[in-house]
Amino acid sequence: MTSKSTEVIVSIKDVHKSFGELEVLKGVSIDVRKGEVICIIGPSGSGKSTLIRCINALNDIQGGSINVCGIDVTDPKLQKLELRKRVGMVFQQYNLFPHKTALENIMMAPTLVLNEDKETVRKRAFALMQKVRLEGKENAYPGELSGGQQQRVAIARSLAMNPDVMLFDEVTAALDPETVKEVLVTIKDLAQEGMTCILVTHEMGFAREVADHIYFTDNGVIVEHGPPKTFFTKAKDPRTKEFLSQIL
Amino acid sequence: MYEPLQQGKILSGIWMTIKLSFYCLILSVVIGIVGAFAQGSKNVIIRSLVQGYIQFFRNTPPYVQLLFFYFALGQFTPTYSPDGWLEIPIISNVGWAIISLSFFAGAFNVEIFRAGIEAVADSTKEAAESLGFSRFQTFRYVVFPLAIRVSLPSLNNNLINLMKTTTQAYGIAVPELLYQSVTIWNDYPSAQYPTMLLVFVVYILLVGVLVMSMNRWERKLRIPGYGH
């Protein structure tokens, strides 16, 4: 894997998040260095998705702090646009714009949000389609693509903004085992190019293979974390052991 | 009926009906879009203003609205005087008919577009938001294009109704088709039934054209692999 710098690009400190009475995150801290790949695993409802949605301010937090590329996400005067230029996000349900072709989906944000020249963006969009191995599908509408293909367009769409960090929220959870692979290959390519990635995932094999660091969350706290080697073989926490014993 | 004078009346009536319908259609759709966008505002005052507007125009008879606009509000509009004697209000009876009917149909259009907007998945809006779209850009490029496709069948209905409601402009002496027809059969009582029949036929044709163009639009907006 590429060399990692020591520069912390995403810093999450003692984050608390509640939905009404329900406290979903109870003091979570994670540091992500530039170029690192972080996997967050854990049972459903443990707050994994909420956590990464907080990173690009789709959810607000009630306590603690989050800093992304020097931007204080908890600042009430936060310029969300500045944050979102830096952070790309891919969702479980792809969330492509159904009325736009694959290429248009990729081109929209750079032309509208960054006001970039359309022809430059078009070239980049074609290159990105190639990168996610979908050349030839540029003019297909999302409804004409398979789930795995749509997800790869969604990844390309985020990459078109040239983000510094990519967030993946259970991006393979809605896919069948065969198409999961094509999406994971795409993410792996990215990781190897040195893109900082934060993934919420249930793909343990994948986490083991690409992650630099794995976090296990349960009930709103991180109960165990470490590099994949020690994480999978030498987990100390009983809850983590139980979870891993069921899936490995 | 076939003499030039009567024929001229009918033709000018049809032309006025077409003009009236055209302006009302456009204006009511614009009101609908702006209203539906404003309804999504974070500002409570804006939201309640839109809500108040809808409640008033949807729950009162359009004919009373028309009379109110023309007679009550018409009194307060400034006038101009081309020859020093006549005082002509800057908004004519045709103007008032267009304004009043547009606001009436616009109230329904707001609700029609709102239903379409609510049908757009939150996750799709979230995707736009996380790509850095502003609220307006999300509406303009993502929510509205999807909402319009959901809204078209109901919009179609409302616009047909609007076209037929233009006959009520008769009440403030707008020389549209019904008004002209009534003047004909007041002069020639024997022409009453044939003229009525003519009015029916003209409306069937006019609404037919509207329906056909709306259906064509609906087909044009269809997205491959989406929703069917």
Side-chain angles (χ1 to χ4, degrees), chain A residues 53 56 58 81 84 91 95 97-99 108 112-113 141 143-144 157 161, chain B residues 123-124 126-127 129-133 137 141-142 145-146 223-226:
Chain A
R53 288 166 58 88
N56 79 340
L58 278 179
L81 176 62
R84 279 154 187 174
F91 302 85
N95 300 354
F97 307 127
H99 59 302
M108 253 171 116
L112 289 174
V113 178
Y141 284 88
E144 300 170 313
R157 180 175 67 172
M161 294 287 282
Chain B
S123 53
T124 309
E126 229 163 43
E129 200 190 326
S130 70
L131 284 167
F133 287 43
Q137 285 172 329
Y141 295 101
V142 179
L146 293 171
I223 312 162
Y226 177 69

PDB file of all heavy atoms in Angstrom, chain A residues 53 56 58 81 84 91 95 97-99 108 112-113 141 143-144 157 161, chain B residues 123-124 126-127 129-133 137 141-142 145-146 223-226:
ATOM      1  N   ARG A  53     -22.389  10.010   8.555  1.00  0.00           N
ATOM      2  CA  ARG A  53     -23.243  11.104   8.072  1.00  0.00           C
ATOM      3  C   ARG A  53     -22.934  12.404   8.815  1.00  0.00           C
ATOM      4  O   ARG A  53     -23.146  13.497   8.285  1.00  0.00           O
ATOM      5  CB  ARG A  53     -24.717  10.741   8.220  1.00  0.00           C
ATOM      6  CG  ARG A  53     -25.163   9.670   7.221  1.00  0.00           C
ATOM      7  CD  ARG A  53     -26.497   9.098   7.614  1.00  0.00           C
ATOM      8  NE  ARG A  53     -27.488  10.160   7.699  1.00  0.00           N
ATOM      9  CZ  ARG A  53     -28.213  10.575   6.671  1.00  0.00           C
ATOM     10  NH1 ARG A  53     -28.065  10.002   5.506  1.00  0.00           N
ATOM     11  NH2 ARG A  53     -29.082  11.537   6.812  1.00  0.00           N
ATOM     12  N   ASN A  56     -19.976  14.654   7.107  1.00  0.00           N
ATOM     13  CA  ASN A  56     -20.224  15.701   6.107  1.00  0.00           C
ATOM     14  C   ASN A  56     -21.492  16.501   6.414  1.00  0.00           C
ATOM     15  O   ASN A  56     -22.131  17.049   5.529  1.00  0.00           O
ATOM     16  CB  ASN A  56     -20.203  15.143   4.681  1.00  0.00           C
ATOM     17  CG  ASN A  56     -21.479  14.447   4.299  1.00  0.00           C
ATOM     18  OD1 ASN A  56     -22.245  14.041   5.171  1.00  0.00           O
ATOM     19  ND2 ASN A  56     -21.729  14.309   3.013  1.00  0.00           N
ATOM     20  N   LEU A  58     -24.490  15.887   7.244  1.00  0.00           N
ATOM     21  CA  LEU A  58     -25.859  15.513   6.891  1.00  0.00           C
ATOM     22  C   LEU A  58     -26.669  15.350   8.181  1.00  0.00           C
ATOM     23  O   LEU A  58     -27.874  15.541   8.197  1.00  0.00           O
ATOM     24  CB  LEU A  58     -25.891  14.205   6.088  1.00  0.00           C
ATOM     25  CG  LEU A  58     -25.616  14.303   4.586  1.00  0.00           C
ATOM     26  CD1 LEU A  58     -25.651  12.939   3.940  1.00  0.00           C
ATOM     27  CD2 LEU A  58     -26.576  15.237   3.881  1.00  0.00           C
ATOM     28  N   LEU A  81     -20.889  24.147   1.832  1.00  0.00           N
ATOM     29  CA  LEU A  81     -20.353  23.949   0.493  1.00  0.00           C
ATOM     30  C   LEU A  81     -18.858  23.622   0.529  1.00  0.00           C
ATOM     31  O   LEU A  81     -18.384  22.715  -0.146  1.00  0.00           O
ATOM     32  CB  LEU A  81     -20.615  25.191  -0.357  1.00  0.00           C
ATOM     33  CG  LEU A  81     -20.021  25.174  -1.764  1.00  0.00           C
ATOM     34  CD1 LEU A  81     -20.619  24.034  -2.571  1.00  0.00           C
ATOM     35  CD2 LEU A  81     -20.280  26.487  -2.461  1.00  0.00           C
ATOM     36  N   ARG A  84     -18.378  20.123   1.655  1.00  0.00           N
ATOM     37  CA  ARG A  84     -18.819  19.090   0.707  1.00  0.00           C
ATOM     38  C   ARG A  84     -17.961  19.011  -0.541  1.00  0.00           C
ATOM     39  O   ARG A  84     -17.993  18.025  -1.261  1.00  0.00           O
ATOM     40  CB  ARG A  84     -20.291  19.290   0.388  1.00  0.00           C
ATOM     41  CG  ARG A  84     -21.098  18.688   1.509  1.00  0.00           C
ATOM     42  CD  ARG A  84     -22.418  19.257   1.712  1.00  0.00           C
ATOM     43  NE  ARG A  84     -22.997  18.696   2.927  1.00  0.00           N
ATOM     44  CZ  ARG A  84     -24.135  19.082   3.446  1.00  0.00           C
ATOM     45  NH1 ARG A  84     -24.821  20.018   2.850  1.00  0.00           N
ATOM     46  NH2 ARG A  84     -24.586  18.542   4.552  1.00  0.00           N
ATOM     47  N   PHE A  91     -23.800   6.283  -1.092  1.00  0.00           N
ATOM     48  CA  PHE A  91     -24.861   5.754  -0.238  1.00  0.00           C
ATOM     49  C   PHE A  91     -25.202   4.302  -0.568  1.00  0.00           C
ATOM     50  O   PHE A  91     -24.918   3.807  -1.657  1.00  0.00           O
ATOM     51  CB  PHE A  91     -26.132   6.593  -0.409  1.00  0.00           C
ATOM     52  CG  PHE A  91     -25.951   8.047  -0.099  1.00  0.00           C
ATOM     53  CD1 PHE A  91     -25.480   8.937  -1.072  1.00  0.00           C
ATOM     54  CD2 PHE A  91     -26.265   8.548   1.148  1.00  0.00           C
ATOM     55  CE1 PHE A  91     -25.322  10.284  -0.795  1.00  0.00           C
ATOM     56  CE2 PHE A  91     -26.114   9.891   1.438  1.00  0.00           C
ATOM     57  CZ  PHE A  91     -25.644  10.762   0.469  1.00  0.00           C
ATOM     58  N   ASN A  95     -28.636   6.368  -4.926  1.00  0.00           N
ATOM     59  CA  ASN A  95     -29.172   7.728  -4.998  1.00  0.00           C
ATOM     60  C   ASN A  95     -28.700   8.517  -6.212  1.00  0.00           C
ATOM     61  O   ASN A  95     -28.408   9.706  -6.120  1.00  0.00           O
ATOM     62  CB  ASN A  95     -28.819   8.524  -3.733  1.00  0.00           C
ATOM     63  CG  ASN A  95     -29.375   7.880  -2.490  1.00  0.00           C
ATOM     64  OD1 ASN A  95     -30.119   6.905  -2.589  1.00  0.00           O
ATOM     65  ND2 ASN A  95     -29.020   8.390  -1.342  1.00  0.00           N
ATOM     66  N   PHE A  97     -29.349  10.459  -9.812  1.00  0.00           N
ATOM     67  CA  PHE A  97     -30.476  11.247 -10.289  1.00  0.00           C
ATOM     68  C   PHE A  97     -31.101  10.498 -11.463  1.00  0.00           C
ATOM     69  O   PHE A  97     -30.489  10.397 -12.526  1.00  0.00           O
ATOM     70  CB  PHE A  97     -30.018  12.643 -10.702  1.00  0.00           C
ATOM     71  CG  PHE A  97     -29.225  13.347  -9.621  1.00  0.00           C
ATOM     72  CD1 PHE A  97     -27.983  13.877  -9.871  1.00  0.00           C
ATOM     73  CD2 PHE A  97     -29.742  13.438  -8.326  1.00  0.00           C
ATOM     74  CE1 PHE A  97     -27.260  14.517  -8.869  1.00  0.00           C
ATOM     75  CE2 PHE A  97     -29.025  14.071  -7.315  1.00  0.00           C
ATOM     76  CZ  PHE A  97     -27.781  14.606  -7.591  1.00  0.00           C
ATOM     77  N   PRO A  98     -32.311   9.972 -11.281  1.00  0.00           N
ATOM     78  CA  PRO A  98     -32.866   9.044 -12.276  1.00  0.00           C
ATOM     79  C   PRO A  98     -33.166   9.683 -13.629  1.00  0.00           C
ATOM     80  O   PRO A  98     -33.260   8.985 -14.633  1.00  0.00           O
ATOM     81  CB  PRO A  98     -34.154   8.537 -11.616  1.00  0.00           C
ATOM     82  CG  PRO A  98     -34.472   9.507 -10.550  1.00  0.00           C
ATOM     83  CD  PRO A  98     -33.182  10.123 -10.113  1.00  0.00           C
ATOM     84  N   HIS A  99     -33.290  11.024 -13.673  1.00  0.00           N
ATOM     85  CA  HIS A  99     -33.648  11.673 -14.933  1.00  0.00           C
ATOM     86  C   HIS A  99     -32.421  12.114 -15.718  1.00  0.00           C
ATOM     87  O   HIS A  99     -32.555  12.785 -16.732  1.00  0.00           O
ATOM     88  CB  HIS A  99     -34.555  12.872 -14.663  1.00  0.00           C
ATOM     89  CG  HIS A  99     -33.932  13.904 -13.765  1.00  0.00           C
ATOM     90  ND1 HIS A  99     -33.486  13.613 -12.498  1.00  0.00           N
ATOM     91  CD2 HIS A  99     -33.681  15.216 -13.954  1.00  0.00           C
ATOM     92  CE1 HIS A  99     -32.985  14.713 -11.944  1.00  0.00           C
ATOM     93  NE2 HIS A  99     -33.086  15.699 -12.814  1.00  0.00           N
ATOM     94  N   MET A 108     -22.913  16.867 -13.334  1.00  0.00           N
ATOM     95  CA  MET A 108     -23.760  17.890 -12.721  1.00  0.00           C
ATOM     96  C   MET A 108     -23.071  18.718 -11.631  1.00  0.00           C
ATOM     97  O   MET A 108     -23.064  19.948 -11.703  1.00  0.00           O
ATOM     98  CB  MET A 108     -25.010  17.235 -12.133  1.00  0.00           C
ATOM     99  CG  MET A 108     -26.252  17.517 -12.924  1.00  0.00           C
ATOM    100  SD  MET A 108     -27.574  16.510 -12.294  1.00  0.00           S
ATOM    101  CE  MET A 108     -28.665  17.771 -11.704  1.00  0.00           C
ATOM    102  N   LEU A 112     -22.291  22.676 -11.877  1.00  0.00           N
ATOM    103  CA  LEU A 112     -23.194  23.556 -11.133  1.00  0.00           C
ATOM    104  C   LEU A 112     -22.557  24.123  -9.882  1.00  0.00           C
ATOM    105  O   LEU A 112     -22.719  25.297  -9.560  1.00  0.00           O
ATOM    106  CB  LEU A 112     -24.455  22.787 -10.719  1.00  0.00           C
ATOM    107  CG  LEU A 112     -25.420  22.416 -11.823  1.00  0.00           C
ATOM    108  CD1 LEU A 112     -26.528  21.541 -11.280  1.00  0.00           C
ATOM    109  CD2 LEU A 112     -26.002  23.676 -12.425  1.00  0.00           C
ATOM    110  N   VAL A 113     -21.858  23.261  -9.140  1.00  0.00           N
ATOM    111  CA  VAL A 113     -21.353  23.688  -7.835  1.00  0.00           C
ATOM    112  C   VAL A 113     -19.989  24.363  -7.960  1.00  0.00           C
ATOM    113  O   VAL A 113     -19.731  25.382  -7.339  1.00  0.00           O
ATOM    114  CB  VAL A 113     -21.282  22.485  -6.871  1.00  0.00           C
ATOM    115  CG1 VAL A 113     -20.724  22.904  -5.528  1.00  0.00           C
ATOM    116  CG2 VAL A 113     -22.663  21.867  -6.707  1.00  0.00           C
ATOM    117  N   TYR A 141     -29.406   5.587 -18.701  1.00  0.00           N
ATOM    118  CA  TYR A 141     -30.046   6.159 -17.522  1.00  0.00           C
ATOM    119  C   TYR A 141     -29.899   5.177 -16.355  1.00  0.00           C
ATOM    120  O   TYR A 141     -29.791   3.967 -16.582  1.00  0.00           O
ATOM    121  CB  TYR A 141     -31.524   6.426 -17.803  1.00  0.00           C
ATOM    122  CG  TYR A 141     -31.740   7.650 -18.650  1.00  0.00           C
ATOM    123  CD1 TYR A 141     -31.741   7.568 -20.040  1.00  0.00           C
ATOM    124  CD2 TYR A 141     -31.912   8.899 -18.063  1.00  0.00           C
ATOM    125  CE1 TYR A 141     -31.914   8.699 -20.828  1.00  0.00           C
ATOM    126  CE2 TYR A 141     -32.095  10.025 -18.839  1.00  0.00           C
ATOM    127  CZ  TYR A 141     -32.094   9.928 -20.215  1.00  0.00           C
ATOM    128  OH  TYR A 141     -32.263  11.055 -20.979  1.00  0.00           O
ATOM    129  N   GLY A 143     -31.909   3.834 -14.444  1.00  0.00           N
ATOM    130  CA  GLY A 143     -32.885   2.746 -14.512  1.00  0.00           C
ATOM    131  C   GLY A 143     -32.492   1.644 -15.471  1.00  0.00           C
ATOM    132  O   GLY A 143     -33.047   0.545 -15.435  1.00  0.00           O
ATOM    133  N   GLU A 144     -31.549   1.927 -16.338  1.00  0.00           N
ATOM    134  CA  GLU A 144     -31.114   0.917 -17.314  1.00  0.00           C
ATOM    135  C   GLU A 144     -29.847   0.200 -16.864  1.00  0.00           C
ATOM    136  O   GLU A 144     -29.324  -0.628 -17.591  1.00  0.00           O
ATOM    137  CB  GLU A 144     -30.858   1.584 -18.676  1.00  0.00           C
ATOM    138  CG  GLU A 144     -32.081   2.260 -19.244  1.00  0.00           C
ATOM    139  CD  GLU A 144     -31.778   3.118 -20.461  1.00  0.00           C
ATOM    140  OE1 GLU A 144     -30.822   3.909 -20.430  1.00  0.00           O
ATOM    141  OE2 GLU A 144     -32.514   2.984 -21.454  1.00  0.00           O
ATOM    142  N   ARG A 157     -19.401   9.781  -9.594  1.00  0.00           N
ATOM    143  CA  ARG A 157     -20.039  11.085  -9.397  1.00  0.00           C
ATOM    144  C   ARG A 157     -19.389  11.839  -8.229  1.00  0.00           C
ATOM    145  O   ARG A 157     -19.151  13.040  -8.306  1.00  0.00           O
ATOM    146  CB  ARG A 157     -21.536  10.884  -9.121  1.00  0.00           C
ATOM    147  CG  ARG A 157     -22.298  12.157  -8.903  1.00  0.00           C
ATOM    148  CD  ARG A 157     -23.769  11.915  -8.756  1.00  0.00           C
ATOM    149  NE  ARG A 157     -24.092  11.192  -7.536  1.00  0.00           N
ATOM    150  CZ  ARG A 157     -25.336  10.985  -7.090  1.00  0.00           C
ATOM    151  NH1 ARG A 157     -26.360  11.418  -7.799  1.00  0.00           N
ATOM    152  NH2 ARG A 157     -25.560  10.326  -5.985  1.00  0.00           N
ATOM    153  N   MET A 161     -15.830  15.484  -8.040  1.00  0.00           N
ATOM    154  CA  MET A 161     -15.631  16.710  -7.269  1.00  0.00           C
ATOM    155  C   MET A 161     -14.219  16.797  -6.698  1.00  0.00           C
ATOM    156  O   MET A 161     -13.909  17.720  -5.942  1.00  0.00           O
ATOM    157  CB  MET A 161     -16.642  16.787  -6.121  1.00  0.00           C
ATOM    158  CG  MET A 161     -18.078  16.924  -6.558  1.00  0.00           C
ATOM    159  SD  MET A 161     -18.453  18.568  -7.221  1.00  0.00           S
ATOM    160  CE  MET A 161     -18.606  19.514  -5.709  1.00  0.00           C
TER     161      MET A 161
ATOM    162  N   SER B 123     -33.567  10.579   0.052  1.00  0.00           N
ATOM    163  CA  SER B 123     -32.193  10.137  -0.192  1.00  0.00           C
ATOM    164  C   SER B 123     -31.633  10.769  -1.479  1.00  0.00           C
ATOM    165  O   SER B 123     -30.443  11.074  -1.548  1.00  0.00           O
ATOM    166  CB  SER B 123     -32.154   8.616  -0.289  1.00  0.00           C
ATOM    167  OG  SER B 123     -33.077   8.156  -1.232  1.00  0.00           O
ATOM    168  N   THR B 124     -32.488  10.999  -2.461  1.00  0.00           N
ATOM    169  CA  THR B 124     -32.040  11.643  -3.696  1.00  0.00           C
ATOM    170  C   THR B 124     -31.648  13.095  -3.417  1.00  0.00           C
ATOM    171  O   THR B 124     -30.636  13.583  -3.914  1.00  0.00           O
ATOM    172  CB  THR B 124     -33.146  11.596  -4.770  1.00  0.00           C
ATOM    173  OG1 THR B 124     -33.602  10.254  -4.885  1.00  0.00           O
ATOM    174  CG2 THR B 124     -32.643  12.058  -6.113  1.00  0.00           C
ATOM    175  N   GLU B 126     -30.678  14.185  -0.547  1.00  0.00           N
ATOM    176  CA  GLU B 126     -29.479  14.111   0.281  1.00  0.00           C
ATOM    177  C   GLU B 126     -28.233  13.956  -0.595  1.00  0.00           C
ATOM    178  O   GLU B 126     -27.185  14.541  -0.310  1.00  0.00           O
ATOM    179  CB  GLU B 126     -29.582  12.914   1.207  1.00  0.00           C
ATOM    180  CG  GLU B 126     -29.263  13.236   2.627  1.00  0.00           C
ATOM    181  CD  GLU B 126     -29.777  12.154   3.562  1.00  0.00           C
ATOM    182  OE1 GLU B 126     -29.616  10.966   3.228  1.00  0.00           O
ATOM    183  OE2 GLU B 126     -30.330  12.499   4.608  1.00  0.00           O
ATOM    184  N   ALA B 127     -28.363  13.169  -1.658  1.00  0.00           N
ATOM    185  CA  ALA B 127     -27.234  12.976  -2.557  1.00  0.00           C
ATOM    186  C   ALA B 127     -26.834  14.312  -3.165  1.00  0.00           C
ATOM    187  O   ALA B 127     -25.650  14.655  -3.230  1.00  0.00           O
ATOM    188  CB  ALA B 127     -27.592  11.972  -3.646  1.00  0.00           C
ATOM    189  N   GLU B 129     -27.450  17.245  -1.928  1.00  0.00           N
ATOM    190  CA  GLU B 129     -26.926  18.076  -0.850  1.00  0.00           C
ATOM    191  C   GLU B 129     -25.462  17.717  -0.561  1.00  0.00           C
ATOM    192  O   GLU B 129     -24.615  18.589  -0.397  1.00  0.00           O
ATOM    193  CB  GLU B 129     -27.773  17.849   0.399  1.00  0.00           C
ATOM    194  CG  GLU B 129     -27.687  18.946   1.425  1.00  0.00           C
ATOM    195  CD  GLU B 129     -28.362  18.539   2.735  1.00  0.00           C
ATOM    196  OE1 GLU B 129     -29.367  17.797   2.695  1.00  0.00           O
ATOM    197  OE2 GLU B 129     -27.853  18.929   3.782  1.00  0.00           O
ATOM    198  N   SER B 130     -25.175  16.431  -0.529  1.00  0.00           N
ATOM    199  CA  SER B 130     -23.810  16.028  -0.174  1.00  0.00           C
ATOM    200  C   SER B 130     -22.831  16.303  -1.321  1.00  0.00           C
ATOM    201  O   SER B 130     -21.625  16.270  -1.136  1.00  0.00           O
ATOM    202  CB  SER B 130     -23.766  14.557   0.245  1.00  0.00           C
ATOM    203  OG  SER B 130     -23.980  13.735  -0.863  1.00  0.00           O
ATOM    204  N   LEU B 131     -23.368  16.591  -2.519  1.00  0.00           N
ATOM    205  CA  LEU B 131     -22.492  16.992  -3.619  1.00  0.00           C
ATOM    206  C   LEU B 131     -22.273  18.508  -3.617  1.00  0.00           C
ATOM    207  O   LEU B 131     -21.579  19.046  -4.478  1.00  0.00           O
ATOM    208  CB  LEU B 131     -23.083  16.569  -4.958  1.00  0.00           C
ATOM    209  CG  LEU B 131     -22.960  15.081  -5.303  1.00  0.00           C
ATOM    210  CD1 LEU B 131     -23.861  14.736  -6.494  1.00  0.00           C
ATOM    211  CD2 LEU B 131     -21.525  14.714  -5.628  1.00  0.00           C
ATOM    212  N   GLY B 132     -22.894  19.181  -2.665  1.00  0.00           N
ATOM    213  CA  GLY B 132     -22.676  20.617  -2.537  1.00  0.00           C
ATOM    214  C   GLY B 132     -23.731  21.486  -3.204  1.00  0.00           C
ATOM    215  O   GLY B 132     -23.575  22.696  -3.267  1.00  0.00           O
ATOM    216  N   PHE B 133     -24.830  20.894  -3.689  1.00  0.00           N
ATOM    217  CA  PHE B 133     -25.900  21.694  -4.288  1.00  0.00           C
ATOM    218  C   PHE B 133     -26.525  22.598  -3.230  1.00  0.00           C
ATOM    219  O   PHE B 133     -26.697  22.194  -2.093  1.00  0.00           O
ATOM    220  CB  PHE B 133     -27.017  20.784  -4.825  1.00  0.00           C
ATOM    221  CG  PHE B 133     -26.682  20.030  -6.081  1.00  0.00           C
ATOM    222  CD1 PHE B 133     -25.457  19.417  -6.248  1.00  0.00           C
ATOM    223  CD2 PHE B 133     -27.626  19.922  -7.098  1.00  0.00           C
ATOM    224  CE1 PHE B 133     -25.171  18.705  -7.405  1.00  0.00           C
ATOM    225  CE2 PHE B 133     -27.338  19.209  -8.259  1.00  0.00           C
ATOM    226  CZ  PHE B 133     -26.115  18.605  -8.406  1.00  0.00           C
ATOM    227  N   GLN B 137     -30.530  24.954  -6.114  1.00  0.00           N
ATOM    228  CA  GLN B 137     -30.024  24.060  -7.170  1.00  0.00           C
ATOM    229  C   GLN B 137     -30.642  22.675  -7.049  1.00  0.00           C
ATOM    230  O   GLN B 137     -30.979  22.045  -8.051  1.00  0.00           O
ATOM    231  CB  GLN B 137     -28.509  23.952  -7.091  1.00  0.00           C
ATOM    232  CG  GLN B 137     -27.795  25.184  -7.607  1.00  0.00           C
ATOM    233  CD  GLN B 137     -26.297  25.140  -7.354  1.00  0.00           C
ATOM    234  OE1 GLN B 137     -25.846  24.561  -6.368  1.00  0.00           O
ATOM    235  NE2 GLN B 137     -25.529  25.740  -8.239  1.00  0.00           N
ATOM    236  N   TYR B 141     -32.651  21.480 -10.283  1.00  0.00           N
ATOM    237  CA  TYR B 141     -32.076  20.470 -11.159  1.00  0.00           C
ATOM    238  C   TYR B 141     -32.439  19.040 -10.781  1.00  0.00           C
ATOM    239  O   TYR B 141     -32.271  18.128 -11.579  1.00  0.00           O
ATOM    240  CB  TYR B 141     -30.548  20.600 -11.183  1.00  0.00           C
ATOM    241  CG  TYR B 141     -30.103  21.896 -11.796  1.00  0.00           C
ATOM    242  CD1 TYR B 141     -29.710  22.967 -11.001  1.00  0.00           C
ATOM    243  CD2 TYR B 141     -30.118  22.064 -13.174  1.00  0.00           C
ATOM    244  CE1 TYR B 141     -29.333  24.169 -11.566  1.00  0.00           C
ATOM    245  CE2 TYR B 141     -29.740  23.257 -13.748  1.00  0.00           C
ATOM    246  CZ  TYR B 141     -29.346  24.309 -12.935  1.00  0.00           C
ATOM    247  OH  TYR B 141     -28.981  25.497 -13.508  1.00  0.00           O
ATOM    248  N   VAL B 142     -32.909  18.819  -9.557  1.00  0.00           N
ATOM    249  CA  VAL B 142     -33.201  17.447  -9.144  1.00  0.00           C
ATOM    250  C   VAL B 142     -34.668  17.270  -8.752  1.00  0.00           C
ATOM    251  O   VAL B 142     -35.405  16.508  -9.385  1.00  0.00           O
ATOM    252  CB  VAL B 142     -32.287  17.014  -7.972  1.00  0.00           C
ATOM    253  CG1 VAL B 142     -32.633  15.591  -7.541  1.00  0.00           C
ATOM    254  CG2 VAL B 142     -30.825  17.108  -8.378  1.00  0.00           C
ATOM    255  N   PRO B 145     -37.512  18.576 -11.660  1.00  0.00           N
ATOM    256  CA  PRO B 145     -37.653  17.710 -12.846  1.00  0.00           C
ATOM    257  C   PRO B 145     -38.292  16.351 -12.528  1.00  0.00           C
ATOM    258  O   PRO B 145     -38.995  15.797 -13.365  1.00  0.00           O
ATOM    259  CB  PRO B 145     -36.206  17.513 -13.318  1.00  0.00           C
ATOM    260  CG  PRO B 145     -35.456  18.647 -12.759  1.00  0.00           C
ATOM    261  CD  PRO B 145     -36.112  19.010 -11.474  1.00  0.00           C
ATOM    262  N   LEU B 146     -38.054  15.843 -11.324  1.00  0.00           N
ATOM    263  CA  LEU B 146     -38.668  14.567 -10.958  1.00  0.00           C
ATOM    264  C   LEU B 146     -40.119  14.775 -10.530  1.00  0.00           C
ATOM    265  O   LEU B 146     -40.998  13.989 -10.871  1.00  0.00           O
ATOM    266  CB  LEU B 146     -37.870  13.896  -9.836  1.00  0.00           C
ATOM    267  CG  LEU B 146     -36.470  13.436 -10.226  1.00  0.00           C
ATOM    268  CD1 LEU B 146     -35.681  12.997  -9.005  1.00  0.00           C
ATOM    269  CD2 LEU B 146     -36.546  12.293 -11.236  1.00  0.00           C
ATOM    270  N   ILE B 223     -38.685   8.793 -18.633  1.00  0.00           N
ATOM    271  CA  ILE B 223     -37.264   8.419 -18.504  1.00  0.00           C
ATOM    272  C   ILE B 223     -37.115   6.931 -18.738  1.00  0.00           C
ATOM    273  O   ILE B 223     -37.832   6.142 -18.138  1.00  0.00           O
ATOM    274  CB  ILE B 223     -36.727   8.732 -17.093  1.00  0.00           C
ATOM    275  CG1 ILE B 223     -37.116  10.152 -16.663  1.00  0.00           C
ATOM    276  CG2 ILE B 223     -35.239   8.518 -17.024  1.00  0.00           C
ATOM    277  CD1 ILE B 223     -37.005  10.352 -15.178  1.00  0.00           C
ATOM    278  N   PRO B 224     -36.171   6.516 -19.608  1.00  0.00           N
ATOM    279  CA  PRO B 224     -35.972   5.089 -19.837  1.00  0.00           C
ATOM    280  C   PRO B 224     -35.651   4.364 -18.531  1.00  0.00           C
ATOM    281  O   PRO B 224     -34.793   4.795 -17.783  1.00  0.00           O
ATOM    282  CB  PRO B 224     -34.782   5.043 -20.786  1.00  0.00           C
ATOM    283  CG  PRO B 224     -34.696   6.386 -21.390  1.00  0.00           C
ATOM    284  CD  PRO B 224     -35.278   7.359 -20.391  1.00  0.00           C
ATOM    285  N   GLY B 225     -36.359   3.300 -18.270  1.00  0.00           N
ATOM    286  CA  GLY B 225     -36.052   2.461 -17.113  1.00  0.00           C
ATOM    287  C   GLY B 225     -36.485   3.052 -15.794  1.00  0.00           C
ATOM    288  O   GLY B 225     -36.071   2.582 -14.737  1.00  0.00           O
ATOM    289  N   TYR B 226     -37.316   4.092 -15.815  1.00  0.00           N
ATOM    290  CA  TYR B 226     -37.715   4.716 -14.551  1.00  0.00           C
ATOM    291  C   TYR B 226     -39.225   4.752 -14.424  1.00  0.00           C
ATOM    292  O   TYR B 226     -39.919   5.238 -15.293  1.00  0.00           O
ATOM    293  CB  TYR B 226     -37.165   6.139 -14.491  1.00  0.00           C
ATOM    294  CG  TYR B 226     -37.567   6.920 -13.257  1.00  0.00           C
ATOM    295  CD1 TYR B 226     -37.070   6.570 -12.007  1.00  0.00           C
ATOM    296  CD2 TYR B 226     -38.422   8.015 -13.349  1.00  0.00           C
ATOM    297  CE1 TYR B 226     -37.431   7.281 -10.880  1.00  0.00           C
ATOM    298  CE2 TYR B 226     -38.786   8.740 -12.231  1.00  0.00           C
ATOM    299  CZ  TYR B 226     -38.279   8.366 -10.994  1.00  0.00           C
ATOM    300  OH  TYR B 226     -38.630   9.088  -9.882  1.00  0.00           O
TER     301      TYR B 226
END
